[in-house]
Amino acid sequence: MNQQALTTSLDPHIRRASRSPRLPRPRSGSGAAAQAGQGVRSGRSEAPGAEDAVRVLVVESDARAAETLVQGLRRHGYDTAVAGTGSKALEVYGDADLVLLDLELPDLDGLEICRAVRAASDVPVIAVTARASELDRVLGLQAGADDYVVKPYGFRELMARMEAVMRRARPGRDRSAAVITAGPLTIDAGTREIRLGGRRIEVTRKEFDLLHLLASQPQKVVSRKELMTQVWDDTCSRPGRTIDTHVSGLRGKLGSADWIITVRGVGFRFGYLGDTAQHSTENAQEVQRGTALTIA
């Protein structure tokens, strides 16, 4: 189906969705037990702080699979709703913070739904599907999916991918953590700007994501594998020169290797100038080798 025909065929759904209707809230005792084909069901987690929970729309025609997924999400504090058809999903996705989209639905192809959502909104979409070929993955990502998960999947992996997608899509959601300051360095997740001593530092998208991830967990050593998963959305490739190249680039732009501390055999953690007591021997060696600039 060409783009013009797709837009025409889904246009009524897009117009309805653009008004961002509120997902129906559950009556007492309601949940995800009704049949998926009957429309939308929602349920708010009973966890503390549920009023601020991320709202997830599960688009799934299999009632049992939807029930299992919703129960898991609610246990982890997510506010959930379920749409059993593509047309219903297009009516209500506007109220969701994140959409988990099965590509096999009874009325519309999931790729068409993904394209329609992406044309009208920036709500994150994760394709959750049994379509497992490389071509399927490519088509899903090209259709606008932010990530692609193949069934059967591990729930922990899905949760990690959801969290990674939400960090990228809503970096300023928690305003208390939106701006990170460490000495002269400021990292603003809302504007995606890095400033050093008031001077803006030009960085690439991946460099920003890498530094922000480390700086948001200043006491934690982040493994190379975790960096590949959260910054590059890659759980399969072996961490290699990609990370080293971006770390070296950041150190050069920030003027010191001490902003990113190497922990040999593990990964990296955030550092700051003047924190000399915590700087690793390997970091000092990197400076001596000339792989990072220093500030006099």
Side-chain angles (χ1 to χ4, degrees):
M1 181 180 295
N2 61 40
Q3 186 65 39
Q4 182 176 2
L6 169 65
T7 303
T8 301
S9 66
L10 299 181
D11 183 64
H13 299 302
I14 296 175
R15 287 201 299 269
R16 286 196 292 271
S18 66
R19 295 196 294 270
S20 298
R22 303 297 297 175
L23 290 176
R25 298 303 179 197
R27 291 189 290 270
S28 177
S30 66
Q35 291 297 318
Q38 294 179 351
V40 177
R41 307 175 305 284
S42 65
R44 182 173 293 280
S45 168
E46 299 302 323
E51 291 299 321
D52 299 320
V54 173
R55 294 164 296 179
V56 180
L57 175 63
V58 177
V59 185
E60 172 63 70
S61 60
D62 185 322
R64 181 173 296 180
E67 175 76 19
T68 300
L69 179 54
V70 165
Q71 288 180 352
L73 292 173
R74 294 181 68 185
R75 281 196 299 270
H76 285 79
Y78 288 93
D79 183 11
T80 61
V82 179
T85 64
S87 58
K88 182 59 65 174
L90 286 171
E91 291 179 6
V92 300
Y93 76 85
D95 190 50
D97 296 314
L98 175 67
V99 177
L100 299 180
L101 174 64
D102 184 16
L103 300 185
E104 299 288 349
L105 296 168
D107 55 341
L108 295 172
D109 182 78
L111 294 179
E112 296 181 357
I113 298 170
C114 194
R115 293 189 189 100
V117 170
R118 188 54 64 237
S121 171
D122 62 354
V123 61
V125 176
I126 298 179
V128 183
T129 176
R131 300 179 184 178
S133 72
E134 181 181 4
L135 177 60
D136 288 325
R137 295 172 184 269
V138 170
L139 291 175
L141 296 172
Q142 288 180 340
D146 295 270
D147 203 348
Y148 195 100
V149 178
V150 176
K151 299 178 180 178
Y153 56 85
F155 186 72
R156 289 183 179 179
E157 178 187 356
L158 178 63
M159 291 285 293
R161 289 179 179 272
M162 290 171 59
E163 292 168 2
V165 166
M166 289 307 300
R167 277 195 299 272
R168 295 193 300 272
R170 302 287 188 271
R173 187 179 179 88
D174 181 1
R175 293 309 301 170
S176 65
V179 178
I180 299 172
T181 301
L185 182 68
T186 301
I187 305 170
D188 191 327
T191 61
R192 293 185 65 84
E193 288 186 352
I194 295 175
R195 293 183 178 274
L196 184 63
R199 178 174 61 89
R200 180 173 178 175
I201 306 298
E202 297 294 336
V203 296
T204 67
R205 182 167 61 90
K206 292 299 185 185
E207 286 175 342
F208 180 91
D209 292 341
L210 173 60
L211 185 62
H212 183 267
L213 175 61
L214 295 175
S216 64
Q217 308 171 80
Q219 303 303 319
K220 177 182 177 181
V221 177
V222 182
S223 70
R224 288 173 172 269
K225 183 176 182 180
E226 187 175 351
L227 288 173
M228 288 298 296
T229 299
Q230 297 193 27
V231 177
W232 280 271
D233 298 326
D234 188 342
T235 60
C236 300
S237 301
R238 294 184 60 185
R241 294 298 302 172
T242 296
I243 296 177
D244 295 327
T245 298
H246 282 76
V247 167
S248 178
L250 273 171
R251 286 168 167 168
K253 293 176 180 180
L254 295 175
S256 174
D258 292 332
W259 287 110
I260 301 177
I261 307 301
T262 299
V263 180
R264 184 184 293 275
V266 182
F268 302 90
R269 69 169 178 81
F270 184 67
Y272 54 93
L273 294 180
D275 186 22
T276 54
Q278 300 186 50
H279 295 166
S280 68
T281 302
E282 183 169 341
N283 240 47
Q285 292 173 346
E286 288 177 352
V287 173
Q288 292 174 0
R289 290 196 300 267
T291 56
L293 300 178
T294 57
I295 293 179

